[in-house]
Amino acid sequence: MWSYTFRRVLATIPTLLAVITVCYLLLHLTPGGPFDGERKVSAAVLANLQAKYHLDLPLWQQYLYYIKSLLQGDLGASFRYADWSVNDLVGKALPVSAAIGGGAIVISLFIGVALGIVAALRQNSIIDYLVMLLGNIGGAFPSFVLGPVLVMVFAIGLEWLPAGGWDDFSLRYMVLPIALLVFINISTIGRVMRGSMIEVLSSNFIRTARAKGLPMRTIVLRHALKPALMPVVSVIGPLAISSITAAVVTETVFGLPGLGKLIVNGAANRDYTLVLGLVVLVTVITVVLNLLVDLAYALLDPKIRY
């Protein structure tokens, strides 16, 4: 297990390098620059700015300079946020996105698995149809449609919760963004868990357990749950990653100061180092999540060995 983990960590190095190189070239090939705007700066000021951020150097030298900074743990200085480094910006925004996205994943995992089990045990009943309807709605409607609907119902209509904003991790401001992501995630987890549980419940070892007279609760919790969770574990990684990309929409709808807002502002302002720093962060999170999913397989199924 440890040797497999070590090999996977080593394999992330060329992946990270390839992602950084492609993004670096794409950003620098994009027309315009970080200091282009409605207010033109003088040639002398522009020359000083380019010298400060090493933009007057050839592209390959800029690239090597950036890689050297990355190896030292420095994501660089922001071109648009004066006196702020990318490390500072990420350090301020990451807890917000982690609280919203991480909380949504944990809650949706419990609710989605529970709904999937209930739907599988009550197959073709009204409960099963309601769970499938919930899954279809969550999968069919995008977050930029569901988000304003939640705001209209719970913030404007019922006036139970604020429509947006952020107040130092106050629960009232976190409920609607988390609810939006939970609603989208349980539509996937619930459907996957339902299908997997139905398949496991029709297995021979489950028939044997039923023939022995074991209660259904014992059969599900002790014998069927672990094998049925395997497909769910497979989708947890992509769902967690999609929560990061969905943060672009979610944080825009609810006005949250998270990574999604930073990505949008960095791309709009051509803040090369900020965008690259966020790409590096998202790539690392993606690799770590995929590694955790692979390790979770071995915990759920003893037959799997690495």
Side-chain angles (χ1 to χ4, degrees):
M1 180 73 76
W2 288 109
S3 61
Y4 172 77
T5 305
F6 183 68
R7 291 198 305 272
R8 285 291 302 268
V9 171
L10 286 181
T12 60
I13 296 175
T15 304
L16 277 173
L17 191 61
V19 171
I20 293 170
T21 304
V22 171
C23 290
Y24 193 90
L25 293 176
L26 288 176
L27 283 172
H28 282 76
L29 291 175
T30 305
F35 305 114
D36 294 339
E38 295 181 357
R39 289 186 58 186
K40 298 291 183 183
V41 298
S42 66
V45 173
L46 181 61
N48 288 333
L49 288 172
Q50 289 180 335
K52 177 181 178 182
Y53 295 108
H54 309 286
L55 295 177
D56 55 342
L57 299 175
L59 185 59
W60 66 271
Q61 287 188 5
Q62 295 181 43
Y63 174 75
L64 293 179
Y65 194 88
Y66 183 74
I67 294 296
K68 180 182 176 182
S69 299
L70 274 184
L71 293 176
Q72 296 172 348
D74 183 8
L75 296 175
S78 171
F79 291 158
R80 304 296 292 188
Y81 296 91
D83 301 327
W84 282 82
S85 68
V86 176
N87 293 49
D88 296 333
L89 292 170
V90 171
K92 186 178 181 182
L94 183 59
V96 178
S97 296
I100 299 297
I105 284 293
V106 173
I107 295 173
S108 55
L109 180 62
F110 282 101
I111 297 178
V113 168
L115 289 178
I117 293 175
V118 172
L121 295 176
R122 300 287 186 270
Q123 189 179 5
N124 297 325
S125 66
I126 186 66
I127 297 176
D128 186 20
Y129 294 145
L130 287 176
V131 172
M132 293 305 297
L133 177 63
L134 181 67
N136 290 330
I137 292 175
F141 290 95
S143 56
F144 62 82
V145 174
L146 294 175
V149 171
L150 291 176
V151 171
M152 186 174 64
V153 174
F154 294 100
I156 299 175
L158 299 175
E159 298 182 355
W160 288 353
L161 297 165
W166 185 255
D167 185 20
D168 195 21
F169 297 94
S170 171
L171 188 59
R172 294 183 70 248
Y173 289 84
M174 296 169 64
V175 170
L176 285 183
I178 290 178
L180 173 61
L181 293 178
V182 167
F183 189 74
I184 294 174
N185 290 339
I186 63 173
S187 66
T188 302
I189 296 175
R191 280 182 295 159
V192 172
M193 188 64 197
R194 173 187 177 274
S196 177
M197 182 58 76
I198 289 175
E199 183 179 351
V200 172
L201 289 177
S202 61
S203 303
N204 290 331
F205 71 96
I206 296 296
R207 292 197 189 97
T208 303
R210 285 176 171 170
K212 290 181 178 179
L214 293 177
M216 182 55 68
R217 180 179 180 182
T218 302
I219 293 175
V220 171
L221 295 180
R222 185 174 298 176
H223 300 287
L225 184 58
K226 285 179 70 174
L229 280 175
M230 293 288 285
V232 176
V233 171
S234 300
V235 302
I236 287 296
L239 277 181
I241 297 166
S242 67
S243 294
I244 299 174
T245 57
V248 175
V249 177
T250 307
E251 293 174 5
T252 302
V253 171
F254 295 102
L256 302 176
L259 294 178
K261 188 175 182 181
L262 274 186
I263 293 174
V264 173
N265 291 341
N269 296 325
R270 297 185 180 89
D271 196 339
Y272 298 153
T273 51
L274 177 56
V275 175
L276 278 171
L278 295 173
V279 168
V280 171
L281 177 66
V282 172
T283 306
V284 170
I285 293 174
T286 302
V287 170
V288 171
L289 288 175
N290 287 331
L291 175 61
L292 292 177
V293 168
D294 288 346
L295 296 179
Y297 286 150
L299 295 177
L300 291 174
D301 190 353
K303 292 181 294 185
I304 297 178
R305 288 288 181 269
Y306 296 108

